[in-house]
Amino acid sequence: MSSPVTENPTGTGTAAPGEQAAGTGAAGTLLAYGRNRLERARGGELGSAPAVIGLIVLVIFFAIVQNGFLSLYNIANLVTQAAPIIVLAMGLVFVLLLGEIDLSAGTASGVCAALMAVMIVRHNVAWYWSVVAAIVTGAVLGYVIGWLRAKARIPSFVVTLAAFLSFQGIVLMQVGKAGSVSLPDQAAKPIITLEGYNNNLMPLWLGWVMLAVVAGGYALVKLRIAVSKRAAGLESEPTLVTVAKTVLMLILGAVFVYLLGENRAIQQNAFFNNLKIEGIPWVVLLLIVLTVGLTFLLSRTRYGRHVYAVGGNDEASRRAGIRVDRIRISVFVLCSTLAAVAGVVQASQLESVASNFGAGNTLLLAVGAAVIGGTSLFGGRGRIMDAVWGGLVVAVIQNGMGDLIKGANSQAWQWIVTGLVLLLAAGFDATSRRVGRGDAR
Amino acid sequence: MTETTTSTAPRTAGSGEPILQLRSVNKSFGPVHVLQDVDFEAHAGEVTALVGDNGAGKSTLVKCIGGTYAIDSGEYLFEGRDVKVHDPRDAAALGIEIVYQDLALCENLDIVGNMFLGRERLSGFKTLDENTMERLAGETLAGLSVRTVKSLRQQVSSLSGGQRQTVAIAKSVLWNSKVVILDEPTAALGVAQTAQVLELVRRLADRGHAVILISHNMRDVLEVSDRIAALYLGRMAAQVKRSDVTQTQIVELITAGRSGDLGLQPGTNGTNGNGHAAEGVNAAGGTGVLDALNAAEANKTDADAAPGESGADEASS
C-alpha cells in the first residue's frame, strides 16, 4: 500500500515527504496542504479533478474544431442543456452514495412533467400548483421505490427497472393520443419557463448580485470555518488557498456573467431585428440554490453523515444506531423528487411534454454525469458538485458532437462517444477504488 | 452519557466488587444448551481474558452481556444492581461497549467521523460540530497514548489493520464506557501491531475500565490479562487470577475443562450431564482443540519470559 516516495510537486526540494515539522509560516502550511492533497489523490480520492480537466480539454477541443462552439448563443444554450441532466444527476448522487441505482429517475421525471403539463393544459390548474403537484408526486414515487428496496428487500436494480418500464407506460397514458402536450407560451412564464426568450432571463444587475453573493458567501463560509478551526487548534485549509479559489471563482463567474449580459440574438431576418437576448437564464439560479442546499445537507448535517456511513458500511451503521432503512428510503425519495424538478425544468425548456419524455438515454446521461464527476458506483463516495461538473461534461459532449460530424451518423457518434466517456469514468472509479483499498496490484 | 466523553471512570480496587457479574446464566438455542450455569465477573481496572475452544460459548456469552441475546435464566448484575439487558441499547446505556472482530468502521469516513458515528455532535442550526468532535477524538486518542495516526481527518481506508483496531477501541472509550469487550482484537494483526494493540488494552484497564478480552492467542492472554475465565463446552471451567496459573494449566482448562483440582471435576459438576450439548459443540470445535494444543506447543518457548512480564504488569495495576 505504501507507495514509493515521490517528489513533491509543490516544488522546493527542502520539503521531503515524511518531514515532520509543519512549518508555522504560510509556505509551510501551504506545503503541508499540498502534500496532504497529493496523498489523498494517491489514495484514490480524486474528487472532481478528472471531470474538471476533461471539461477544460473538451471545451478547448471543440472551440478549435468547431466554429461557433464558444459563441455567446451556444454558451447560454450549453448551460440550459446541462441543467436537467445536472438536476437529475444530483438526485442520483444520493442513490449512488448508498451503492444503489435508480434506473427509473428519467421516466419518473416524465411522469411528473406530464402530470404538470396535463394539469395546466387540460384542467386549467395554476402553474404553481401544478409544479407543486409534480414535485409531491416525485416524492411519493420515490417513497414507494425506496420502500420496496428497503423493506421488501428487492434489489434496487430490479425495482427501478420495473418502475422505469411502468412509468413509461404512465407517461404514454397521460399524454394520450396526441403524442405530446404543449405548454402554453405565456401563461406559465416566467418561473416555469426557466429558459426561453424575452422576459424569462435574469435582469443584468441580478447576475452580478448573484455572482457577488455566491463568491462572497463561499469565501466567508470557508474563512469562518478556518478561523474556528485555528481557534480550536486544528488543521485548516490555508487562507491563501481559500483566497485563490475565491478569486478564480470570481474571474470565471465575471466572464460568464459578462458574456451572457451581451446581446446574443442571432439577427437573421427582419422580423427578429430588434430582438434582444441578454442575461442569465433563471435556471442557473436554481442550479446554484440546489447545489448549495444539497451540499450543505450532505456535508454539514447528521443526515448527510449517515448517508455516507450507510454507503460505506451498512452493518457498521446499524450497530452505531443509524436507522439504515430510513436512510435508504430517503435517498430514493430525494432522487425522485429531484427527478421531478428536472422534469419541470426540461418541460419548460421544451415547452412541451412528449410521450417519450424522460425515456431513452435521459437516465444514462444523468448516471454518466454523476460518475464522470467522481461519484462512485460502489457507494460511499460522491458529492453534489460531481453532478455539476459531470453534467457539464456530458452537455459539452452532446452540444459539441451535435454539429461536429455532419450527416446521418451525427447522432450515432454522439451516443458512442458519450458511452465511451461513461465507460472511461466507471473504469476510473473502479481503479481508484482498488487503489484506495490498497489492493491494486 | 452524551455529555462526558473522555472517560475517566473511577478507579476501583481490582480485587473489590466486580463491576459486571453474571450468576448461573443459561442460554439455549432450541435444543442446544449453549451456556450452562455460567458464572462470570469482570472488575474495573482489570483485563479479564475470556478463553475457550471454538464452540465453547464465548461469543454467546459476550452477546448475552452485550444484549444481542437475552439470557434464559440467571442473574445479570451491573455495579451490584440486578439489571435486565435485552437489547444492545440497554447494554450501551449501562456503559458496556463491544468492539467487534470485524471492527464495524466505515472506510469512507475519516477517523473523527467513525468515532462519533451515530452520536454526532451538533452545534447551532443542527449542523455537525466538526471542531468539537475532532478535538474530543484527538484528546481520547492522546489519552490512550495513541501516536500512530498522522491525521484525524484521514479516511479509515488508508489506515493499517492495527490503526483501525486502535480507532475502534478508542471509539468505545469515547462514550464513558465502563466495560469494554474486545472480540479477538489481534486476530488479523502482525507482530508489531499486535504489541501496540495489547499495550492499548493494558492502558484501557489502567485507566479504570473493565476490559474483557476474547482471544485464541495464548501469548496475548498471558501477556495482558489479570484474570482468566475459561469456558469449556458451555460451562465456566474456572475463573482464576493470571498469577495463580501456568500456561499449561490454562491450555488444559481450555481443552479438557480441568487441570488438577482446577476446573470442572468429573462427577461433581457432571460433564456427563450435558452430554447432548457437549457432543453438539464438540463436533463444531473439533479442530480447535488441535489448534490450541499446537499454539501451546509453539508458545512453550515463551512461557519462561511471559510470566515475568505480566507479573510486572500486575504489580503496577
Side-chain angles (χ1 to χ4, degrees), chain B residues 29-63:
Chain B
F29 295 105
V32 186
H33 204 161
V34 183
L35 295 179
Q36 287 187 49
D37 294 331
V38 168
D39 294 334
F40 178 78
E41 54 184 57
H43 296 259
E46 287 191 356
V47 178
T48 308
L50 182 58
V51 296
D53 213 336
N54 290 351
K58 296 189 302 281
S59 357
T60 308
L61 180 58
V62 164
K63 282 177 179 160

mmCIF file of all heavy atoms in Angstrom, chain B residues 29-63:
data_model
loop_
_atom_site.group_PDB
_atom_site.id
_atom_site.type_symbol
_atom_site.label_atom_id
_atom_site.label_comp_id
_atom_site.label_asym_id
_atom_site.label_seq_id
_atom_site.Cartn_x
_atom_site.Cartn_y
_atom_site.Cartn_z
ATOM 1 N N PHE B 29 -30.354 -22.407 22.485
ATOM 2 C CA PHE B 29 -30.946 -22.147 21.176
ATOM 3 C C PHE B 29 -31.655 -23.427 20.783
ATOM 4 O O PHE B 29 -31.002 -24.395 20.409
ATOM 5 C CB PHE B 29 -29.878 -21.790 20.147
ATOM 6 C CG PHE B 29 -29.174 -20.498 20.456
ATOM 7 C CD1 PHE B 29 -27.887 -20.497 20.961
ATOM 8 C CD2 PHE B 29 -29.832 -19.294 20.266
ATOM 9 C CE1 PHE B 29 -27.261 -19.314 21.257
ATOM 10 C CE2 PHE B 29 -29.197 -18.108 20.566
ATOM 11 C CZ PHE B 29 -27.915 -18.119 21.056
ATOM 12 N N GLY B 30 -32.956 -23.436 20.905
ATOM 13 C CA GLY B 30 -33.691 -24.663 20.660
ATOM 14 C C GLY B 30 -33.171 -25.742 21.592
ATOM 15 O O GLY B 30 -33.065 -25.519 22.794
ATOM 16 N N PRO B 31 -32.807 -26.896 21.064
ATOM 17 C CA PRO B 31 -32.357 -27.986 21.924
ATOM 18 C C PRO B 31 -30.912 -27.832 22.390
ATOM 19 O O PRO B 31 -30.461 -28.570 23.247
ATOM 20 C CB PRO B 31 -32.494 -29.217 21.024
ATOM 21 C CG PRO B 31 -32.345 -28.682 19.638
ATOM 22 C CD PRO B 31 -32.886 -27.289 19.650
ATOM 23 N N VAL B 32 -30.200 -26.909 21.819
ATOM 24 C CA VAL B 32 -28.778 -26.797 22.159
ATOM 25 C C VAL B 32 -28.589 -25.874 23.359
ATOM 26 O O VAL B 32 -28.906 -24.687 23.291
ATOM 27 C CB VAL B 32 -27.969 -26.273 20.952
ATOM 28 C CG1 VAL B 32 -26.488 -26.310 21.275
ATOM 29 C CG2 VAL B 32 -28.279 -27.077 19.722
ATOM 30 N N HIS B 33 -28.084 -26.441 24.409
ATOM 31 C CA HIS B 33 -27.872 -25.700 25.645
ATOM 32 C C HIS B 33 -26.467 -25.094 25.590
ATOM 33 O O HIS B 33 -25.495 -25.753 25.922
ATOM 34 C CB HIS B 33 -28.004 -26.676 26.817
ATOM 35 C CG HIS B 33 -28.373 -25.997 28.087
ATOM 36 N ND1 HIS B 33 -28.916 -26.667 29.155
ATOM 37 C CD2 HIS B 33 -28.300 -24.711 28.471
ATOM 38 C CE1 HIS B 33 -29.147 -25.828 30.145
ATOM 39 N NE2 HIS B 33 -28.778 -24.630 29.745
ATOM 40 N N VAL B 34 -26.372 -23.874 25.137
ATOM 41 C CA VAL B 34 -25.050 -23.311 24.838
ATOM 42 C C VAL B 34 -24.330 -22.829 26.091
ATOM 43 O O VAL B 34 -23.137 -23.029 26.244
ATOM 44 C CB VAL B 34 -25.174 -22.151 23.822
ATOM 45 C CG1 VAL B 34 -23.802 -21.623 23.457
ATOM 46 C CG2 VAL B 34 -25.882 -22.631 22.567
ATOM 47 N N LEU B 35 -25.052 -22.180 26.973
ATOM 48 C CA LEU B 35 -24.447 -21.739 28.227
ATOM 49 C C LEU B 35 -25.162 -22.423 29.382
ATOM 50 O O LEU B 35 -26.389 -22.394 29.472
ATOM 51 C CB LEU B 35 -24.562 -20.217 28.381
ATOM 52 C CG LEU B 35 -23.814 -19.345 27.373
ATOM 53 C CD1 LEU B 35 -24.075 -17.874 27.673
ATOM 54 C CD2 LEU B 35 -22.332 -19.643 27.392
ATOM 55 N N GLN B 36 -24.367 -23.054 30.257
ATOM 56 C CA GLN B 36 -24.967 -23.767 31.374
ATOM 57 C C GLN B 36 -24.435 -23.234 32.684
ATOM 58 O O GLN B 36 -23.258 -23.388 32.991
ATOM 59 C CB GLN B 36 -24.619 -25.246 31.285
ATOM 60 C CG GLN B 36 -25.378 -25.967 30.184
ATOM 61 C CD GLN B 36 -25.111 -27.441 30.276
ATOM 62 O OE1 GLN B 36 -25.209 -28.024 31.350
ATOM 63 N NE2 GLN B 36 -24.771 -28.041 29.157
ATOM 64 N N ASP B 37 -25.300 -22.620 33.441
ATOM 65 C CA ASP B 37 -24.949 -22.128 34.777
ATOM 66 C C ASP B 37 -23.608 -21.411 34.790
ATOM 67 O O ASP B 37 -22.740 -21.699 35.613
ATOM 68 C CB ASP B 37 -24.911 -23.300 35.774
ATOM 69 C CG ASP B 37 -26.298 -23.888 35.958
ATOM 70 O OD1 ASP B 37 -27.269 -23.122 35.813
ATOM 71 O OD2 ASP B 37 -26.401 -25.100 36.212
ATOM 72 N N VAL B 38 -23.452 -20.515 33.873
ATOM 73 C CA VAL B 38 -22.168 -19.832 33.767
ATOM 74 C C VAL B 38 -22.090 -18.680 34.763
ATOM 75 O O VAL B 38 -23.005 -17.864 34.859
ATOM 76 C CB VAL B 38 -21.959 -19.302 32.333
ATOM 77 C CG1 VAL B 38 -20.773 -18.352 32.274
ATOM 78 C CG2 VAL B 38 -21.765 -20.466 31.377
ATOM 79 N N ASP B 39 -21.025 -18.658 35.518
ATOM 80 C CA ASP B 39 -20.714 -17.516 36.377
ATOM 81 C C ASP B 39 -19.578 -16.750 35.719
ATOM 82 O O ASP B 39 -18.640 -17.351 35.217
ATOM 83 C CB ASP B 39 -20.239 -17.983 37.766
ATOM 84 C CG ASP B 39 -21.345 -18.687 38.515
ATOM 85 O OD1 ASP B 39 -22.519 -18.402 38.231
ATOM 86 O OD2 ASP B 39 -21.022 -19.542 39.366
ATOM 87 N N PHE B 40 -19.689 -15.441 35.767
ATOM 88 C CA PHE B 40 -18.617 -14.655 35.147
ATOM 89 C C PHE B 40 -18.569 -13.306 35.815
ATOM 90 O O PHE B 40 -19.602 -12.762 36.204
ATOM 91 C CB PHE B 40 -18.902 -14.485 33.648
ATOM 92 C CG PHE B 40 -17.876 -13.655 32.933
ATOM 93 C CD1 PHE B 40 -16.649 -14.201 32.586
ATOM 94 C CD2 PHE B 40 -18.134 -12.322 32.622
ATOM 95 C CE1 PHE B 40 -15.699 -13.436 31.939
ATOM 96 C CE2 PHE B 40 -17.183 -11.555 31.971
ATOM 97 C CZ PHE B 40 -15.960 -12.118 31.623
ATOM 98 N N GLU B 41 -17.365 -12.808 36.022
ATOM 99 C CA GLU B 41 -17.283 -11.453 36.559
ATOM 100 C C GLU B 41 -16.126 -10.691 35.944
ATOM 101 O O GLU B 41 -15.129 -11.265 35.517
ATOM 102 C CB GLU B 41 -17.174 -11.486 38.082
ATOM 103 C CG GLU B 41 -16.056 -12.350 38.620
ATOM 104 C CD GLU B 41 -16.090 -12.395 40.136
ATOM 105 O OE1 GLU B 41 -17.130 -12.799 40.692
ATOM 106 O OE2 GLU B 41 -15.090 -12.025 40.768
ATOM 107 N N ALA B 42 -16.318 -9.380 35.861
ATOM 108 C CA ALA B 42 -15.266 -8.514 35.353
ATOM 109 C C ALA B 42 -15.092 -7.372 36.339
ATOM 110 O O ALA B 42 -16.075 -6.853 36.880
ATOM 111 C CB ALA B 42 -15.642 -7.967 33.988
ATOM 112 N N HIS B 43 -13.845 -7.007 36.580
ATOM 113 C CA HIS B 43 -13.545 -5.953 37.544
ATOM 114 C C HIS B 43 -13.015 -4.728 36.840
ATOM 115 O O HIS B 43 -12.283 -4.842 35.865
ATOM 116 C CB HIS B 43 -12.503 -6.446 38.547
ATOM 117 C CG HIS B 43 -12.979 -7.572 39.385
ATOM 118 N ND1 HIS B 43 -13.423 -7.420 40.666
ATOM 119 C CD2 HIS B 43 -13.098 -8.898 39.107
ATOM 120 C CE1 HIS B 43 -13.786 -8.586 41.158
ATOM 121 N NE2 HIS B 43 -13.598 -9.510 40.228
ATOM 122 N N ALA B 44 -13.375 -3.588 37.391
ATOM 123 C CA ALA B 44 -12.843 -2.346 36.843
ATOM 124 C C ALA B 44 -11.336 -2.328 37.045
ATOM 125 O O ALA B 44 -10.830 -2.786 38.074
ATOM 126 C CB ALA B 44 -13.480 -1.151 37.529
ATOM 127 N N GLY B 45 -10.629 -1.849 36.060
ATOM 128 C CA GLY B 45 -9.181 -1.746 36.176
ATOM 129 C C GLY B 45 -8.453 -3.039 35.895
ATOM 130 O O GLY B 45 -7.254 -3.136 36.109
ATOM 131 N N GLU B 46 -9.197 -4.018 35.416
ATOM 132 C CA GLU B 46 -8.552 -5.303 35.136
ATOM 133 C C GLU B 46 -8.887 -5.777 33.730
ATOM 134 O O GLU B 46 -9.953 -5.477 33.198
ATOM 135 C CB GLU B 46 -9.041 -6.368 36.123
ATOM 136 C CG GLU B 46 -8.497 -6.199 37.502
ATOM 137 C CD GLU B 46 -8.780 -7.421 38.364
ATOM 138 O OE1 GLU B 46 -9.474 -8.352 37.885
ATOM 139 O OE2 GLU B 46 -8.321 -7.447 39.487
ATOM 140 N N VAL B 47 -7.972 -6.542 33.187
ATOM 141 C CA VAL B 47 -8.260 -7.215 31.926
ATOM 142 C C VAL B 47 -8.664 -8.639 32.255
ATOM 143 O O VAL B 47 -7.903 -9.380 32.870
ATOM 144 C CB VAL B 47 -7.034 -7.233 30.996
ATOM 145 C CG1 VAL B 47 -7.357 -7.990 29.720
ATOM 146 C CG2 VAL B 47 -6.580 -5.820 30.690
ATOM 147 N N THR B 48 -9.885 -8.978 31.886
ATOM 148 C CA THR B 48 -10.334 -10.339 32.083
ATOM 149 C C THR B 48 -10.335 -11.041 30.740
ATOM 150 O O THR B 48 -11.060 -10.639 29.833
ATOM 151 C CB THR B 48 -11.760 -10.366 32.667
ATOM 152 O OG1 THR B 48 -11.792 -9.546 33.822
ATOM 153 C CG2 THR B 48 -12.180 -11.774 33.003
ATOM 154 N N ALA B 49 -9.501 -12.047 30.618
ATOM 155 C CA ALA B 49 -9.450 -12.773 29.353
ATOM 156 C C ALA B 49 -10.511 -13.855 29.373
ATOM 157 O O ALA B 49 -10.662 -14.578 30.355
ATOM 158 C CB ALA B 49 -8.078 -13.382 29.147
ATOM 159 N N LEU B 50 -11.269 -13.922 28.293
ATOM 160 C CA LEU B 50 -12.270 -14.970 28.168
ATOM 161 C C LEU B 50 -11.744 -15.949 27.127
ATOM 162 O O LEU B 50 -11.629 -15.614 25.952
ATOM 163 C CB LEU B 50 -13.601 -14.362 27.730
ATOM 164 C CG LEU B 50 -14.797 -15.304 27.579
ATOM 165 C CD1 LEU B 50 -15.081 -16.036 28.875
ATOM 166 C CD2 LEU B 50 -16.021 -14.529 27.132
ATOM 167 N N VAL B 51 -11.361 -17.120 27.589
ATOM 168 C CA VAL B 51 -10.778 -18.086 26.660
ATOM 169 C C VAL B 51 -11.663 -19.315 26.574
ATOM 170 O O VAL B 51 -12.523 -19.548 27.415
ATOM 171 C CB VAL B 51 -9.350 -18.491 27.084
ATOM 172 C CG1 VAL B 51 -8.414 -17.309 27.023
ATOM 173 C CG2 VAL B 51 -9.353 -19.122 28.462
ATOM 174 N N GLY B 52 -11.418 -20.094 25.566
ATOM 175 C CA GLY B 52 -12.198 -21.299 25.380
ATOM 176 C C GLY B 52 -12.059 -21.739 23.947
ATOM 177 O O GLY B 52 -11.705 -20.934 23.076
ATOM 178 N N ASP B 53 -12.344 -23.010 23.753
ATOM 179 C CA ASP B 53 -12.185 -23.537 22.411
ATOM 180 C C ASP B 53 -13.302 -23.029 21.509
ATOM 181 O O ASP B 53 -14.277 -22.469 21.989
ATOM 182 C CB ASP B 53 -12.218 -25.070 22.476
ATOM 183 C CG ASP B 53 -11.328 -25.663 21.423
ATOM 184 O OD1 ASP B 53 -11.081 -24.963 20.430
ATOM 185 O OD2 ASP B 53 -10.885 -26.803 21.606
ATOM 186 N N ASN B 54 -13.153 -23.268 20.221
ATOM 187 C CA ASN B 54 -14.244 -22.922 19.307
ATOM 188 C C ASN B 54 -15.514 -23.627 19.763
ATOM 189 O O ASN B 54 -15.488 -24.811 20.053
ATOM 190 C CB ASN B 54 -13.929 -23.379 17.883
ATOM 191 C CG ASN B 54 -12.822 -22.565 17.269
ATOM 192 O OD1 ASN B 54 -12.414 -21.555 17.848
ATOM 193 N ND2 ASN B 54 -12.343 -22.994 16.136
ATOM 194 N N GLY B 55 -16.599 -22.902 19.840
ATOM 195 C CA GLY B 55 -17.863 -23.508 20.212
ATOM 196 C C GLY B 55 -18.043 -23.662 21.705
ATOM 197 O O GLY B 55 -19.007 -24.259 22.153
ATOM 198 N N ALA B 56 -17.119 -23.117 22.492
ATOM 199 C CA ALA B 56 -17.259 -23.240 23.939
ATOM 200 C C ALA B 56 -18.322 -22.293 24.473
ATOM 201 O O ALA B 56 -18.777 -22.443 25.599
ATOM 202 C CB ALA B 56 -15.918 -22.968 24.618
ATOM 203 N N GLY B 57 -18.714 -21.320 23.685
ATOM 204 C CA GLY B 57 -19.768 -20.407 24.109
ATOM 205 C C GLY B 57 -19.279 -18.995 24.378
ATOM 206 O O GLY B 57 -20.011 -18.182 24.949
ATOM 207 N N LYS B 58 -18.057 -18.690 23.967
ATOM 208 C CA LYS B 58 -17.509 -17.350 24.213
ATOM 209 C C LYS B 58 -18.368 -16.264 23.577
ATOM 210 O O LYS B 58 -18.785 -15.314 24.228
ATOM 211 C CB LYS B 58 -16.084 -17.219 23.625
ATOM 212 C CG LYS B 58 -15.061 -18.120 24.250
ATOM 213 C CD LYS B 58 -13.676 -17.746 23.763
ATOM 214 C CE LYS B 58 -13.496 -17.794 22.265
ATOM 215 N NZ LYS B 58 -13.303 -19.119 21.690
ATOM 216 N N SER B 59 -18.637 -16.432 22.277
ATOM 217 C CA SER B 59 -19.391 -15.374 21.595
ATOM 218 C C SER B 59 -20.796 -15.280 22.129
ATOM 219 O O SER B 59 -21.348 -14.183 22.246
ATOM 220 C CB SER B 59 -19.429 -15.583 20.088
ATOM 221 O OG SER B 59 -18.684 -16.670 19.722
ATOM 222 N N THR B 60 -21.385 -16.418 22.461
ATOM 223 C CA THR B 60 -22.735 -16.382 23.013
ATOM 224 C C THR B 60 -22.736 -15.619 24.329
ATOM 225 O O THR B 60 -23.604 -14.774 24.573
ATOM 226 C CB THR B 60 -23.254 -17.812 23.243
ATOM 227 O OG1 THR B 60 -23.099 -18.545 22.044
ATOM 228 C CG2 THR B 60 -24.698 -17.798 23.660
ATOM 229 N N LEU B 61 -21.741 -15.895 25.155
ATOM 230 C CA LEU B 61 -21.657 -15.209 26.442
ATOM 231 C C LEU B 61 -21.524 -13.704 26.226
ATOM 232 O O LEU B 61 -22.209 -12.896 26.863
ATOM 233 C CB LEU B 61 -20.458 -15.748 27.231
ATOM 234 C CG LEU B 61 -20.241 -15.124 28.614
ATOM 235 C CD1 LEU B 61 -21.469 -15.305 29.487
ATOM 236 C CD2 LEU B 61 -19.018 -15.732 29.292
ATOM 237 N N VAL B 62 -20.653 -13.342 25.278
ATOM 238 C CA VAL B 62 -20.445 -11.922 25.015
ATOM 239 C C VAL B 62 -21.713 -11.272 24.473
ATOM 240 O O VAL B 62 -22.072 -10.161 24.850
ATOM 241 C CB VAL B 62 -19.274 -11.743 24.029
ATOM 242 C CG1 VAL B 62 -19.293 -10.350 23.444
ATOM 243 C CG2 VAL B 62 -17.967 -12.006 24.728
ATOM 244 N N LYS B 63 -22.408 -12.016 23.623
ATOM 245 C CA LYS B 63 -23.638 -11.449 23.071
ATOM 246 C C LYS B 63 -24.712 -11.322 24.145
ATOM 247 O O LYS B 63 -25.566 -10.434 24.070
ATOM 248 C CB LYS B 63 -24.129 -12.287 21.895
ATOM 249 C CG LYS B 63 -23.312 -11.988 20.642
ATOM 250 C CD LYS B 63 -23.696 -12.837 19.464
ATOM 251 C CE LYS B 63 -22.841 -12.435 18.265
ATOM 252 N NZ LYS B 63 -22.802 -13.475 17.234
#
